[in-house]
């Protein structure tokens, strides 16, 4: 097994552990919404500290329901993953293209060198 394969497997195990351990250990069982987002947690903390707090800004667009908000978040995540995958694929493709071009140039030079040696040997 190559070194990169071992690293990839280790990273997958770590990601799986990060996803499963909070559920398996029962973290958040004492809360009404155990895995609420950071925005909801911050809002709760602010209202506990300062009940009369007025926000400075309001959102530009507030989705009509939580499902639409989740769908927009998932769309944003998918677009980001697509951009990253395109970027890394493009870099890998360029690197492989450069390697192939160098192999062709190296192969052509060695073939030209062999042809030159043969013609010099024929003259002698």
């Amino acid at each position: 097994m190559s070194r990169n394969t071992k690293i990839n497997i280790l990273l997958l195990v770590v990601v799986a552990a990060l996803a499963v351990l909070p559920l398996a250990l029962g973290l958040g069982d004492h809360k009404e919404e155990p895995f609420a987002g950071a925005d909801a947690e911050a809002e709760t903390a602010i209202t506990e500290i300062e009940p009369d707090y007025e926000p400075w800004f309001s959102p530009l667009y507030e989705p009509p329901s939580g499902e639409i908000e989740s769908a927009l978040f998932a769309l944003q995540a998918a677009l980001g993953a697509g951009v990253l995958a395109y970027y890394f694929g493009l870099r890998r493709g360029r690197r492989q293209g450069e390697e192939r071009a160098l192999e062709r140039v190296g192969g052509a030079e060695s073939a030209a060198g062999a042809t030159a040696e043969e013609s010099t040997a024929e003259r002698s």
Side-chain angles (χ1 to χ4, degrees):
M1 192 180 299
S2 73
R3 182 174 182 262
N4 285 339
T5 305
K6 290 179 183 177
I7 290 172
N8 287 339
I9 291 172
L10 178 65
L11 288 173
L12 285 172
V13 168
V14 168
V15 168
L18 285 173
V20 172
L21 281 177
L23 298 171
L25 297 175
L27 299 177
D29 284 346
H30 62 284
K31 295 181 180 179
E32 188 176 312
E33 294 182 30
F35 298 106
D39 292 345
E41 293 285 333
E43 185 178 344
T44 304
I46 289 170
T47 53
E48 286 177 4
I49 295 170
E50 185 69 40
D52 298 329
Y53 177 77
E54 289 293 324
W56 292 1
F57 301 100
S58 61
L60 296 175
Y61 171 71
E62 190 146 346
S65 70
E67 291 83 12
I68 294 175
E69 185 176 357
S70 295
L72 290 173
F73 182 76
L75 177 64
Q76 178 185 357
L79 286 172
V83 168
L84 283 175
Y86 174 78
Y87 172 74
F88 286 120
L90 185 68
R91 282 196 46 186
R92 182 175 181 165
R94 284 184 179 172
R95 186 176 61 236
Q96 288 177 347
E98 289 174 358
E99 290 172 359
R100 288 180 185 154
L102 288 175
E103 287 174 3
R104 287 182 191 147
V105 169
E109 287 177 358
S110 64
T115 307
E117 288 175 6
E118 288 174 6
S119 62
T120 307
E122 289 174 0
R123 290 183 199 155
S124 316

Tab-separated table of all heavy atoms in Angstrom, residues 79-117:
chain	number	residue	atom	x	y	z
A	79	LEU	N	-21.560	23.999	-4.751
A	79	LEU	CA	-20.839	24.880	-5.678
A	79	LEU	C	-19.384	25.051	-5.248
A	79	LEU	O	-18.473	25.012	-6.086
A	79	LEU	CB	-21.533	26.238	-5.772
A	79	LEU	CG	-22.836	26.276	-6.554
A	79	LEU	CD1	-23.513	27.637	-6.406
A	79	LEU	CD2	-22.588	25.966	-8.009
A	80	GLY	N	-19.156	25.220	-3.958
A	80	GLY	CA	-17.790	25.350	-3.464
A	80	GLY	C	-16.982	24.086	-3.714
A	80	GLY	O	-15.825	24.149	-4.139
A	81	ALA	N	-17.592	22.928	-3.479
A	81	ALA	CA	-16.901	21.662	-3.735
A	81	ALA	C	-16.607	21.502	-5.222
A	81	ALA	O	-15.535	21.020	-5.610
A	81	ALA	CB	-17.736	20.495	-3.225
A	82	GLY	N	-17.538	21.925	-6.065
A	82	GLY	CA	-17.321	21.845	-7.507
A	82	GLY	C	-16.174	22.723	-7.968
A	82	GLY	O	-15.349	22.315	-8.792
A	83	VAL	N	-16.094	23.931	-7.426
A	83	VAL	CA	-14.999	24.843	-7.787
A	83	VAL	C	-13.664	24.258	-7.336
A	83	VAL	O	-12.679	24.270	-8.089
A	83	VAL	CB	-15.237	26.242	-7.175
A	83	VAL	CG1	-13.998	27.109	-7.271
A	83	VAL	CG2	-16.402	26.920	-7.862
A	84	LEU	N	-13.613	23.736	-6.119
A	84	LEU	CA	-12.361	23.134	-5.632
A	84	LEU	C	-11.969	21.916	-6.461
A	84	LEU	O	-10.799	21.750	-6.819
A	84	LEU	CB	-12.502	22.741	-4.164
A	84	LEU	CG	-12.419	23.877	-3.160
A	84	LEU	CD1	-12.690	23.357	-1.754
A	84	LEU	CD2	-11.073	24.559	-3.213
A	85	ALA	N	-12.932	21.058	-6.780
A	85	ALA	CA	-12.634	19.872	-7.584
A	85	ALA	C	-12.136	20.266	-8.971
A	85	ALA	O	-11.177	19.676	-9.487
A	85	ALA	CB	-13.873	18.989	-7.704
A	86	TYR	N	-12.742	21.281	-9.573
A	86	TYR	CA	-12.294	21.755	-10.883
A	86	TYR	C	-10.860	22.273	-10.807
A	86	TYR	O	-10.030	21.953	-11.644
A	86	TYR	CB	-13.229	22.860	-11.388
A	86	TYR	CG	-12.736	23.489	-12.669
A	86	TYR	CD1	-12.904	22.838	-13.884
A	86	TYR	CD2	-12.093	24.722	-12.662
A	86	TYR	CE1	-12.438	23.398	-15.056
A	86	TYR	CE2	-11.626	25.290	-13.826
A	86	TYR	CZ	-11.809	24.627	-15.032
A	86	TYR	OH	-11.338	25.190	-16.182
A	87	TYR	N	-10.579	23.070	-9.778
A	87	TYR	CA	-9.239	23.637	-9.619
A	87	TYR	C	-8.187	22.544	-9.468
A	87	TYR	O	-7.164	22.547	-10.153
A	87	TYR	CB	-9.208	24.585	-8.415
A	87	TYR	CG	-7.825	25.059	-8.064
A	87	TYR	CD1	-7.170	26.007	-8.836
A	87	TYR	CD2	-7.160	24.547	-6.954
A	87	TYR	CE1	-5.893	26.434	-8.524
A	87	TYR	CE2	-5.886	24.970	-6.630
A	87	TYR	CZ	-5.263	25.912	-7.416
A	87	TYR	OH	-3.995	26.324	-7.102
A	88	PHE	N	-8.436	21.591	-8.567
A	88	PHE	CA	-7.448	20.527	-8.351
A	88	PHE	C	-7.330	19.616	-9.569
A	88	PHE	O	-6.239	19.156	-9.902
A	88	PHE	CB	-7.788	19.720	-7.095
A	88	PHE	CG	-7.497	20.469	-5.819
A	88	PHE	CD1	-8.510	20.731	-4.912
A	88	PHE	CD2	-6.222	20.921	-5.531
A	88	PHE	CE1	-8.245	21.423	-3.745
A	88	PHE	CE2	-5.954	21.614	-4.370
A	88	PHE	CZ	-6.965	21.868	-3.472
A	89	GLY	N	-8.430	19.360	-10.254
A	89	GLY	CA	-8.379	18.566	-11.476
A	89	GLY	C	-7.595	19.273	-12.570
A	89	GLY	O	-6.811	18.656	-13.300
A	90	LEU	N	-7.791	20.570	-12.686
A	90	LEU	CA	-7.060	21.351	-13.677
A	90	LEU	C	-5.560	21.332	-13.387
A	90	LEU	O	-4.744	21.135	-14.293
A	90	LEU	CB	-7.582	22.789	-13.683
A	90	LEU	CG	-7.013	23.727	-14.736
A	90	LEU	CD1	-7.474	23.277	-16.117
A	90	LEU	CD2	-7.466	25.154	-14.473
A	91	ARG	N	-5.206	21.518	-12.119
A	91	ARG	CA	-3.777	21.487	-11.750
A	91	ARG	C	-3.163	20.131	-12.048
A	91	ARG	O	-2.060	20.036	-12.584
A	91	ARG	CB	-3.603	21.807	-10.264
A	91	ARG	CG	-3.713	23.288	-9.989
A	91	ARG	CD	-3.192	23.664	-8.657
A	91	ARG	NE	-1.910	23.029	-8.402
A	91	ARG	CZ	-1.275	23.089	-7.251
A	91	ARG	NH1	-1.798	23.742	-6.266
A	91	ARG	NH2	-0.128	22.489	-7.072
A	92	ARG	N	-3.876	19.071	-11.708
A	92	ARG	CA	-3.345	17.730	-11.945
A	92	ARG	C	-3.204	17.459	-13.444
A	92	ARG	O	-2.211	16.899	-13.895
A	92	ARG	CB	-4.250	16.687	-11.310
A	92	ARG	CG	-3.740	15.293	-11.487
A	92	ARG	CD	-4.574	14.291	-10.764
A	92	ARG	NE	-4.004	12.971	-10.969
A	92	ARG	CZ	-4.308	11.931	-10.263
A	92	ARG	NH1	-5.164	12.032	-9.279
A	92	ARG	NH2	-3.766	10.770	-10.515
A	93	GLY	N	-4.199	17.858	-14.213
A	93	GLY	CA	-4.140	17.676	-15.658
A	93	GLY	C	-2.985	18.427	-16.285
A	93	GLY	O	-2.290	17.906	-17.173
A	94	ARG	N	-2.760	19.645	-15.836
A	94	ARG	CA	-1.632	20.420	-16.368
A	94	ARG	C	-0.309	19.756	-16.018
A	94	ARG	O	0.600	19.687	-16.844
A	94	ARG	CB	-1.659	21.838	-15.820
A	94	ARG	CG	-2.707	22.695	-16.464
A	94	ARG	CD	-2.636	24.113	-15.959
A	94	ARG	NE	-3.641	24.938	-16.614
A	94	ARG	CZ	-3.920	26.175	-16.260
A	94	ARG	NH1	-3.270	26.741	-15.263
A	94	ARG	NH2	-4.847	26.849	-16.903
A	95	ARG	N	-0.196	19.291	-14.772
A	95	ARG	CA	1.051	18.639	-14.349
A	95	ARG	C	1.292	17.374	-15.175
A	95	ARG	O	2.413	17.128	-15.633
A	95	ARG	CB	0.994	18.307	-12.860
A	95	ARG	CG	2.316	17.766	-12.323
A	95	ARG	CD	2.287	17.517	-10.824
A	95	ARG	NE	1.279	16.526	-10.488
A	95	ARG	CZ	0.294	16.729	-9.624
A	95	ARG	NH1	0.163	17.883	-9.022
A	95	ARG	NH2	-0.575	15.776	-9.359
A	96	GLN	N	0.248	16.573	-15.383
A	96	GLN	CA	0.404	15.360	-16.181
A	96	GLN	C	0.745	15.700	-17.629
A	96	GLN	O	1.548	15.018	-18.264
A	96	GLN	CB	-0.869	14.520	-16.125
A	96	GLN	CG	-1.083	13.842	-14.804
A	96	GLN	CD	-2.397	13.077	-14.743
A	96	GLN	OE1	-3.263	13.249	-15.600
A	96	GLN	NE2	-2.543	12.251	-13.711
A	97	GLY	N	0.151	16.770	-18.168
A	97	GLY	CA	0.461	17.192	-19.524
A	97	GLY	C	1.910	17.619	-19.665
A	97	GLY	O	2.581	17.299	-20.654
A	98	GLU	N	2.407	18.343	-18.659
A	98	GLU	CA	3.811	18.759	-18.682
A	98	GLU	C	4.736	17.548	-18.627
A	98	GLU	O	5.740	17.497	-19.343
A	98	GLU	CB	4.107	19.698	-17.511
A	98	GLU	CG	3.489	21.062	-17.655
A	98	GLU	CD	3.665	21.919	-16.415
A	98	GLU	OE1	4.255	21.427	-15.414
A	98	GLU	OE2	3.215	23.074	-16.426
A	99	GLU	N	4.394	16.572	-17.779
A	99	GLU	CA	5.223	15.367	-17.672
A	99	GLU	C	5.247	14.606	-18.996
A	99	GLU	O	6.306	14.161	-19.445
A	99	GLU	CB	4.702	14.460	-16.552
A	99	GLU	CG	4.937	15.019	-15.169
A	99	GLU	CD	4.245	14.209	-14.080
A	99	GLU	OE1	3.564	13.204	-14.413
A	99	GLU	OE2	4.369	14.586	-12.905
A	100	ARG	N	4.090	14.497	-19.645
A	100	ARG	CA	4.039	13.806	-20.937
A	100	ARG	C	4.830	14.546	-22.000
A	100	ARG	O	5.508	13.939	-22.826
A	100	ARG	CB	2.591	13.639	-21.384
A	100	ARG	CG	1.831	12.618	-20.571
A	100	ARG	CD	0.409	12.493	-21.037
A	100	ARG	NE	-0.326	11.602	-20.164
A	100	ARG	CZ	-1.630	11.656	-19.978
A	100	ARG	NH1	-2.346	12.541	-20.631
A	100	ARG	NH2	-2.227	10.817	-19.161
A	101	ALA	N	4.732	15.869	-21.978
A	101	ALA	CA	5.476	16.664	-22.956
A	101	ALA	C	6.981	16.495	-22.747
A	101	ALA	O	7.741	16.373	-23.715
A	101	ALA	CB	5.084	18.131	-22.851
A	102	LEU	N	7.404	16.476	-21.486
A	102	LEU	CA	8.831	16.285	-21.202
A	102	LEU	C	9.284	14.898	-21.626
A	102	LEU	O	10.401	14.735	-22.132
A	102	LEU	CB	9.116	16.512	-19.715
A	102	LEU	CG	9.034	17.962	-19.239
A	102	LEU	CD1	9.204	18.035	-17.728
A	102	LEU	CD2	10.077	18.812	-19.940
A	103	GLU	N	8.425	13.885	-21.440
A	103	GLU	CA	8.771	12.533	-21.873
A	103	GLU	C	8.913	12.471	-23.392
A	103	GLU	O	9.824	11.837	-23.912
A	103	GLU	CB	7.699	11.531	-21.423
A	103	GLU	CG	7.724	11.244	-19.946
A	103	GLU	CD	6.564	10.368	-19.515
A	103	GLU	OE1	5.766	9.928	-20.392
A	103	GLU	OE2	6.429	10.113	-18.301
A	104	ARG	N	8.023	13.141	-24.095
A	104	ARG	CA	8.093	13.154	-25.565
A	104	ARG	C	9.362	13.856	-26.039
A	104	ARG	O	10.025	13.393	-26.956
A	104	ARG	CB	6.876	13.862	-26.145
A	104	ARG	CG	5.616	13.049	-26.049
A	104	ARG	CD	4.458	13.767	-26.684
A	104	ARG	NE	3.211	13.088	-26.350
A	104	ARG	CZ	2.063	13.690	-26.186
A	104	ARG	NH1	1.976	14.996	-26.328
A	104	ARG	NH2	0.985	13.000	-25.887
A	105	VAL	N	9.673	15.002	-25.406
A	105	VAL	CA	10.885	15.730	-25.795
A	105	VAL	C	12.113	14.900	-25.480
A	105	VAL	O	13.027	14.782	-26.294
A	105	VAL	CB	10.949	17.101	-25.063
A	105	VAL	CG1	12.302	17.749	-25.238
A	105	VAL	CG2	9.852	18.015	-25.576
A	106	GLY	N	12.131	14.256	-24.320
A	106	GLY	CA	13.257	13.384	-23.950
A	106	GLY	C	13.378	12.208	-24.882
A	106	GLY	O	14.470	11.818	-25.302
A	107	GLY	N	12.252	11.607	-25.258
A	107	GLY	CA	12.244	10.471	-26.175
A	107	GLY	C	12.684	10.881	-27.567
A	107	GLY	O	13.417	10.170	-28.248
A	108	ALA	N	12.261	12.070	-28.006
A	108	ALA	CA	12.646	12.554	-29.340
A	108	ALA	C	14.138	12.858	-29.379
A	108	ALA	O	14.816	12.577	-30.369
A	108	ALA	CB	11.830	13.785	-29.695
A	109	GLU	N	14.657	13.433	-28.289
A	109	GLU	CA	16.088	13.757	-28.248
A	109	GLU	C	16.935	12.487	-28.253
A	109	GLU	O	17.945	12.409	-28.942
A	109	GLU	CB	16.405	14.598	-27.005
A	109	GLU	CG	15.910	16.011	-27.103
A	109	GLU	CD	16.171	16.799	-25.833
A	109	GLU	OE1	16.708	16.221	-24.856
A	109	GLU	OE2	15.850	17.997	-25.803
A	110	SER	N	16.506	11.470	-27.493
A	110	SER	CA	17.286	10.229	-27.474
A	110	SER	C	17.204	9.517	-28.822
A	110	SER	O	18.169	8.934	-29.288
A	110	SER	CB	16.822	9.306	-26.348
A	110	SER	OG	15.478	8.909	-26.573
A	111	ALA	N	16.051	9.585	-29.490
A	111	ALA	CA	15.915	8.984	-30.818
A	111	ALA	C	16.771	9.736	-31.828
A	111	ALA	O	17.421	9.127	-32.684
A	111	ALA	CB	14.451	8.993	-31.258
A	112	ALA	N	16.797	11.064	-31.728
A	112	ALA	CA	17.624	11.860	-32.634
A	112	ALA	C	19.095	11.582	-32.388
A	112	ALA	O	19.900	11.485	-33.321
A	112	ALA	CB	17.317	13.347	-32.445
A	113	GLY	N	19.462	11.423	-31.108
A	113	GLY	CA	20.860	11.108	-30.772
A	113	GLY	C	21.251	9.748	-31.305
A	113	GLY	O	22.355	9.557	-31.831
A	114	ALA	N	20.369	8.773	-31.217
A	114	ALA	CA	20.657	7.424	-31.715
A	114	ALA	C	20.790	7.445	-33.230
A	114	ALA	O	21.663	6.796	-33.808
A	114	ALA	CB	19.567	6.461	-31.283
A	115	THR	N	19.948	8.223	-33.907
A	115	THR	CA	20.013	8.328	-35.365
A	115	THR	C	21.324	8.977	-35.796
A	115	THR	O	21.969	8.549	-36.758
A	115	THR	CB	18.814	9.146	-35.890
A	115	THR	OG1	17.610	8.578	-35.390
A	115	THR	CG2	18.790	9.173	-37.394
A	116	ALA	N	21.743	10.003	-35.053
A	116	ALA	CA	23.006	10.675	-35.374
A	116	ALA	C	24.175	9.732	-35.169
A	116	ALA	O	25.127	9.719	-35.964
A	116	ALA	CB	23.158	11.934	-34.511
A	117	GLU	N	24.140	8.911	-34.116
A	117	GLU	CA	25.231	7.968	-33.874
A	117	GLU	C	25.289	6.910	-34.969
A	117	GLU	O	26.351	6.525	-35.413
A	117	GLU	CB	25.020	7.288	-32.501
A	117	GLU	CG	25.274	8.203	-31.316
A	117	GLU	CD	24.947	7.535	-29.981
A	117	GLU	OE1	24.638	6.317	-29.985
A	117	GLU	OE2	24.959	8.236	-28.979
